[in-house]
Each structure stands twice: as C-alpha cells, then as structure tokens.
Amino acid sequence: MAAGENRLKIKEVIVVEGKYDKNTLSQAVDATIITTGGFSLFKDKGLRALLLRLARERGVIVLTDADGAGLVIRNRLRGFLPPELVRHAYIPAREGKEKRKKLAGKAGLLGVEGMTPEVLRAALINAGATEREGERRPVTKRDLYEWGLSGGPNSAKLRRRLQEKLSLPKNLSAKALCEVLTMLGLYEQAAAYIVQDEGDGPRA
C-alpha cells in the first residue's frame, strides 16, 4: 500500500502553525490544512473571515505545538471562532528537536512536525475528527482559464468580481482562488455565476 493510500480523510479544516507542520500532517491525513504562519493569522482580517466561514460550513480542528506559543495561538483562535464549531487536538509533550533544526525550541519539546503519522492521526481521532465521505469537485487552473479568470487581460478584475460575489477575501491569486473555491465546495456556484455574468453583457 502506498503511503498516500493510508491517509485518513477528514471533513474538518485543520489549523496548524507553520508550513513544516502542514507538510508532516499532509502525510498522515487527507484534509484541508491551513497555517497560521505563527501569529500572522491574527493580523489578516481576510484570512480570519475565511477561517470563520470554514468553521461554520465544515468545522475546525486546532492542532498546535505543545509549548507556550501553541497555547497562545489556541487561545487566540478561541477568541474569534465559535466554540461549538471548534475541536482541539493535542500532541503528547515529548522532549526532543526536529531533524532540520540545529537547536531544540525554548520548551525543548517536539512540535507537530516531529510527530509520526500514527500519533497525529490518533490525536485527530481523539479530538472527534469526522471521516469525510465522497469528494468535492476541485477547482483547477484550467477551470479559471476557461472562465476567463486566468491568462487574460481582464482576469484579475474578473477574479475580484467573483470574489466579491461569493464573499471571499479580496486580492486572491489564481492559485489561492482555486484552493479557496475547492475548500468551500463552490465549484457549481462559481460556474453558475460565470454563466450569469456572461449573460449580463461584455465583461471588459
């Protein structure tokens, strides 16, 4: 069995701290994973609004490191996400450091990126993760191109119009728009809007 075939498919959006956490977790589960970029998330109103929307539509699982910074991020997320929509997954407090680091962190503990896939899956299951059934229709770069939202002179303007129509964060790149539309399961709505928009007349 290939490594990817053993990944647990999870419905909820999982929030982790950084890209290395995301890379490690993506080897253990098939899920939408959002990084906070440390404390950067809390300065980005658009990203906070998106996370709130995802929580309402799919639920959120918070999975941070077992140190002080991880606790701060959990508490900040508790501050703007409805508690009934959020579940908290915890990794064990194990001493050590990740291979890529020269020195251990201040707390001397392994973070999410230092955990095995088995430990991460167990943490998510214990938090009440919901196994996903079926697959969402992904939105691809080809879809954007065919809709006129990529590769054309007015593509950026048309993307902003679609983002406004669907109440999405402003100034998303084409790649980010694909990811957000897929996360929210908005392929059909986006496609329907494009058809409607074309029917309203020239889009230049």
Side-chain angles (χ1 to χ4, degrees):
M1 178 181 290
E5 295 176 1
N6 197 36
R7 294 187 302 164
L8 180 66
K9 294 183 178 181
I10 293 178
K11 171 188 174 183
E12 291 85 5
V13 173
I14 306 172
V15 179
V16 297
E17 295 180 49
K19 64 179 182 179
Y20 293 105
D21 299 328
K22 180 177 180 178
N23 290 343
T24 298
L25 184 59
S26 65
Q27 297 173 38
V29 299
D30 179 353
T32 298
I33 305 170
I34 291 181
T35 64
T36 68
F39 299 112
S40 299
L41 170 66
F42 309 112
K43 301 177 183 178
D44 190 332
K45 293 182 179 179
L47 188 54
R48 289 203 309 273
L50 174 61
L51 190 54
L52 179 59
R53 181 171 178 177
L54 287 168
R56 288 171 174 162
E57 296 193 12
R58 296 175 57 184
V60 163
I61 298 176
V62 178
L63 180 63
T64 60
D65 293 348
D67 58 9
L71 179 60
V72 169
I73 290 173
R74 282 185 190 277
N75 289 336
R76 294 291 293 274
L77 288 167
R78 285 189 176 103
F80 73 88
L81 293 176
E84 67 275 12
L85 303 178
V86 182
R87 298 174 183 179
H88 290 269
Y90 297 90
I91 59 173
R94 293 180 178 172
E95 295 184 355
K97 72 174 186 67
E98 287 74 17
K99 293 181 180 179
R100 69 178 180 86
K101 297 179 179 179
K102 293 183 179 180
L103 299 173
K106 186 177 180 179
L109 301 174
L110 289 170
V112 169
E113 69 166 292
M115 297 291 123
T116 65
E118 292 76 18
V119 168
L120 293 174
R121 283 193 289 267
L124 293 167
I125 291 171
N126 289 338
T130 306
E131 190 164 2
R132 189 175 73 243
E133 296 181 2
E135 296 295 332
R136 292 173 180 266
R137 165 62 161 89
V139 177
T140 66
K141 283 284 192 71
R142 182 177 181 84
D143 291 324
L144 295 193
Y145 179 78
E146 292 179 349
W147 292 340
L149 305 182
S150 177
N154 297 314
S155 294
K157 178 180 178 180
L158 296 176
R159 285 200 305 273
R160 288 194 296 271
R161 185 183 296 181
L162 176 65
Q163 289 158 203
E164 181 179 354
K165 179 72 175 180
L166 297 178
S167 301
L168 300 176
K170 299 178 181 179
N171 301 321
L172 292 174
S173 66
K175 179 181 178 181
L177 181 58
C178 285
E179 293 175 350
V180 169
L181 291 174
T182 299
M183 282 192 289
L184 292 169
L186 293 177
Y187 173 84
E188 289 79 8
Q189 286 181 249
Y193 171 70
I194 294 300
V195 172
Q196 177 185 351
D197 197 31
E198 289 176 340
D200 289 338
R203 296 187 295 164

